[in-house]
Structures are given as C-alpha cells and as structure tokens.
Amino acid sequence: MLEISMNEIFQLNQQKYKSRYEELETLARGAFGTVLKARDRTLNKIVAVKTISKANSKETAITQLKNEVCGLKQSQHQNIVKLFDFYETEQFIYIIMEYIKGGTLRNYWDSHNRHITEKNTKVIVYYL
C-alpha cells in the first residue's frame, strides 16, 4: 500500500501553487498574511491570492479559516467573492479568489479623507 506523509502533500501543494500561479504584485498586507494579485497560468486569468502564514496563526484560527473556505466553496452569489482554489503547505495557506478591481473599503475611506457621505455609506452598507 502506498503511503504519503503530510509533509509530502504539503510539498506537492507548494509545487502545484508555484507552477500554476505567477505572483504579480502585493495588494494588501495584514497581521496574518498578504493579498497578492496573480495570474493563473492555466486559464490566463488574473486572480487574488490570500496568503496566510501558519507561523503567525493559532490552530483555532486555521481551523476557522478552513471552515470559511468550505463555506465559500458552496456559496454562489453575485455579491460574494468567488473562491477558485485552496492550497495548504507547511508554512502557508493560499486561498485563490476572484480578483475584483477597485481596492479595499479602507482604500476608499482613506482616499476620501475618512469622510464618506451618508448617501455613499448607504450604498456600501447595502452591498455588504
């Protein structure tokens, strides 16, 4: 019987990720990871890649993240970002998602000098 270790699975996932996605630029950085703009070499399509460092995350946070990924995989709605793929390696979790232009809500907030009209707030909250 063929046995494969978790370490070998992690290495295979790392190879699959690196061969399929070309990282283009950093879109955002946070306490636990980074969001990258990348190109899916197979589909020649731009995607967003959320990379989460396992070293900076507690085991419960990683479990919650995996549960969130399972939920996103089942969700299909025009106002919910699409999840395309997921890779786990020894050091990172890579979540491959639909790339949406326009930046983050924080970028929008900052670009408007932290002052958004009530009308614009209503529109944002409606979509959230």
Side-chain angles (χ1 to χ4, degrees):
M1 183 164 83
L2 178 67
E3 289 189 33
I4 188 165
S5 70
M6 283 305 294
N7 195 31
E8 290 170 312
I9 292 171
F10 289 158
Q11 288 175 353
L12 285 171
N13 283 343
Q14 183 72 40
Q15 290 170 357
K16 286 180 191 177
Y17 170 76
K18 292 290 184 186
S19 67
R20 181 157 185 178
Y21 299 99
E22 174 189 4
E23 297 173 354
L24 302 173
E25 66 180 284
T26 300
L27 299 174
R29 290 189 193 279
F32 299 104
T34 304
V35 179
L36 305 168
K37 180 178 179 181
R39 185 177 65 84
D40 181 331
R41 290 183 175 110
T42 305
L43 301 175
N44 195 29
K45 181 179 185 173
I46 299 297
V47 296
V49 179
K50 187 182 282 190
T51 63
I52 294 98
S53 169
K54 290 168 75 175
N56 298 335
S57 304
K58 294 181 180 176
E59 191 61 39
T60 54
I62 292 171
T63 301
Q64 286 176 326
L65 179 66
K66 289 177 184 178
N67 290 337
E68 184 180 332
V69 165
C70 288
L72 276 175
K73 271 192 165 186
Q74 296 172 5
S75 298
Q76 293 211 359
H77 190 276
Q78 65 184 12
N79 294 336
I80 298 176
V81 67
K82 290 177 182 65
L83 175 85
F84 296 132
D85 218 339
F86 170 87
Y87 296 90
E88 182 177 4
T89 69
E90 189 173 3
Q91 298 175 339
F92 293 98
I93 292 175
Y94 300 98
I95 302 172
I96 317 304
M97 300 175 295
E98 171 184 24
Y99 173 73
I100 300 173
K101 287 184 179 181
T104 65
L105 182 56
R106 177 62 183 243
N107 296 138
Y108 183 80
W109 172 261
D110 289 344
S111 70
H112 286 78
N113 297 318
R114 299 180 177 219
H115 209 80
I116 303 175
T117 66
E118 182 178 345
K119 181 180 176 184
N120 285 349
T121 301
K122 286 178 183 179
V123 172
I124 292 167
V125 170
Y126 173 79
Y127 283 105
L128 290 175

